[in-house]
Amino acid sequence: MSPRPESPQLDSGTAQRLAGALHMADVVELAHRQLPSDVWDFVVGGAGQELTLAANRAALDAVRVVPRALRDVSACAISTTLFGRTTSAPIAIAPVAYHQLVHPHGELATARAARACGVPLAISTLSSHSIEAIAAQGAPVWFQLYWLRDERTRDELVSRAEAAKCDALVVTVDVPWMGRRLRDIRNNFAVGPDVVAANLPDTVRPPLGSTVAAHTADLLSPSLTWADIEALRARTSLPLVLKGILSPEDARRAVDCGVDGIVVSNHGGRQLDGAVGSIECLAAVRAAVGQRCTVLLDGGVRSGVDVLKALALGADAVLVGRPVIWGLAAGGEAGVHHTLELLKRELRDALGLAGCVRVAQARDLQTMPPTIRATLSEVGGCGG
């Protein structure tokens, strides 16, 4: 197990800059200053022409919430429960590979901030620290599983997640292979020698200097099917979550397979370019599964208001990926802590101003345009 590093000591300049970051755009600017151009492109880029990347934000921006008035919101609270654990907010950190690309303490710093903020961290299969080292930081953790070609390694990862007492197993189902991320292709982007896929044994670990596209093509199996999900459900007692569901039909089938949670996600616009924005499918997925499983939204969330919109359209919580990586780049553990607390403050503000005292009440808020809530549900699909 990796030793737990001391908390970073921020210089006064960094501390002052973080204190002045009042909106996510401020955190983005701080991160941009810190990162080399190829790493920046890896973090912010999407697939193809980045149409779906843009669609995530455009769809969220198009949603308007109708606030309720004359309600006592003096005791407004944003805590909730996810997979049996109380969390400080309906927010979890999305699985993101190789945190050490943006900060030397990587996922250990992210986990310490998650613990302090009371939110779960989903550990990536391709994390740059091991499951065990990250879990030892004390945050509530989930484990994200890519469907690896190597069956033995795949099974060992599930066993390690169980032994580390992860709260959930999150299977990514939308990456048979990596989408064509043109920024990375143009940059010939490769992970440097100081950053490794710490969870993988040497026999399957990507060779040094290989591009991300090349080594994921070698690692990931394109043969994942519903039969595999059913077998995995039978194999583990951990709450099972599928990440990368957009179709209501797929959502219904997932619940029929015994899945405990669904992440409505287009992989942050990094897979099929031209896929629908995640939030455009949220209401239809919720309508398809009812209350039979937890539903989370992933894709484009940048503010507490975005979280409120997701709750109003049927999500139990959201995942945030890029914002956490921007915070990590901007100021390590303190940067992640600042980013998460910023989102929480914004959410409490938005929830109360919308007339809600608890997270569950946001589900009853009306949203405009109503087509996002109603029409997609009526046709049983997304983007219809």
Side-chain angles (χ1 to χ4, degrees):
M1 183 177 293
S2 302
R4 179 172 171 176
E6 296 297 321
S7 296
Q9 297 298 312
L10 286 181
D11 62 86
S12 59
T14 301
Q16 185 176 9
R17 287 190 292 273
L18 282 174
L22 304 179
H23 184 269
M24 194 61 65
D26 300 324
V27 180
V28 173
E29 183 178 353
L30 293 176
H32 200 176
R33 294 177 193 170
Q34 297 296 318
L35 296 177
S37 60
D38 60 340
V39 175
W40 173 257
D41 281 347
F42 175 71
V43 172
V44 304
Q49 301 176 67
E50 301 185 344
L51 300 176
T52 297
L53 179 66
N56 278 339
R57 276 307 322 157
L60 274 162
D61 288 340
V63 179
R64 296 290 185 268
V65 175
V66 181
R68 298 300 304 273
L70 297 172
R71 292 178 169 182
D72 181 358
V73 293
S74 55
C76 183
I78 61 171
S79 62
T80 191
T81 301
L82 293 172
F83 305 116
R85 185 188 290 266
T86 299
T87 64
S88 68
I91 296 169
I93 300 174
V96 179
Y98 303 128
H99 288 208
Q100 275 192 316
L101 283 170
V102 305
H103 190 275
H105 290 169
E107 291 86 357
L108 302 186
T110 305
R112 290 194 297 271
R115 179 195 63 200
C117 294
V119 301
L121 163 63
I123 302 170
S124 171
T125 292
L126 298 177
S127 60
S128 42
H129 289 280
S130 69
I131 300 169
E132 294 79 8
I134 298 168
Q137 306 308 305
V141 291
W142 308 343
F143 180 67
Q144 175 268 335
L145 179 70
Y146 277 124
W147 204 254
L148 304 179
R149 293 177 185 272
D150 189 285
E151 184 177 353
R152 179 177 178 180
T153 299
R154 196 171 66 221
D155 189 64
E156 287 174 349
L157 287 172
V158 174
S159 295
R160 289 169 62 189
E162 293 168 335
K165 300 188 184 306
C166 292
D167 289 339
L169 180 64
V170 182
V171 183
T172 296
V173 298
D174 58 356
V175 187
W177 53 77
M178 184 181 288
R180 294 188 70 246
R181 302 172 190 177
L182 302 185
R183 297 193 199 208
D184 295 344
I185 293 170
R186 292 186 180 110
N187 293 331
N188 198 34
F189 182 72
V191 176
D194 296 331
V195 179
V196 299
N199 290 316
L200 303 182
D202 290 341
T203 52
V204 297
R205 186 174 291 175
L208 293 177
S210 67
T211 65
V212 172
H215 75 239
T216 52
D218 291 339
L219 282 171
L220 306 184
S221 170
S223 65
L224 175 62
T225 68
W226 290 108
D228 297 308
I229 298 301
E230 290 169 352
L232 182 61
R233 174 68 290 171
R235 185 247 179 264
T236 183
S237 61
L238 288 176
L240 185 60
V241 181
L242 301 190
K243 179 177 180 288
I245 297 292
L246 294 171
S247 161
E249 289 80 8
D250 286 343
R252 279 190 287 267
R253 183 152 187 186
V255 173
D256 290 343
C257 287
V259 162
D260 302 283
I262 289 168
V263 183
V264 180
S265 173
N266 55 35
H267 214 92
R270 294 162 76 86
Q271 285 301 105
L272 174 63
D273 194 32
V276 68
S278 295
I279 201 164
E280 294 179 278
C281 288
L282 177 57
V285 167
R286 171 55 81 186
V289 302
Q291 298 304 312
R292 292 186 293 164
C293 75
T294 298
V295 176
L296 303 102
L297 175 78
D298 169 67
V301 173
R302 301 290 180 264
S303 71
V305 172
D306 291 339
V307 181
L308 178 69
K309 292 175 180 181
L311 296 173
L313 286 165
D316 293 296
V318 303
L319 300 185
V320 289
R322 289 182 179 97
V324 168
I325 297 302
W326 291 327
L328 184 63
E333 178 185 338
V336 177
H337 186 279
H338 179 88
T339 299
L340 293 172
E341 288 299 318
L342 173 63
L343 289 169
K344 288 166 61 177
R345 285 195 302 271
E346 290 176 338
L347 173 58
R348 187 183 184 281
D349 182 66
L351 194 70
L353 292 176
C356 299
V357 179
R358 298 181 305 279
V359 166
Q361 289 181 323
R363 185 79 59 81
D364 298 326
L365 291 171
Q366 185 180 3
T367 58
M368 303 293 287
T371 51
I372 293 179
R373 174 188 286 273
T375 306
L376 296 181
S377 301
E378 291 165 3
V379 301
C382 296

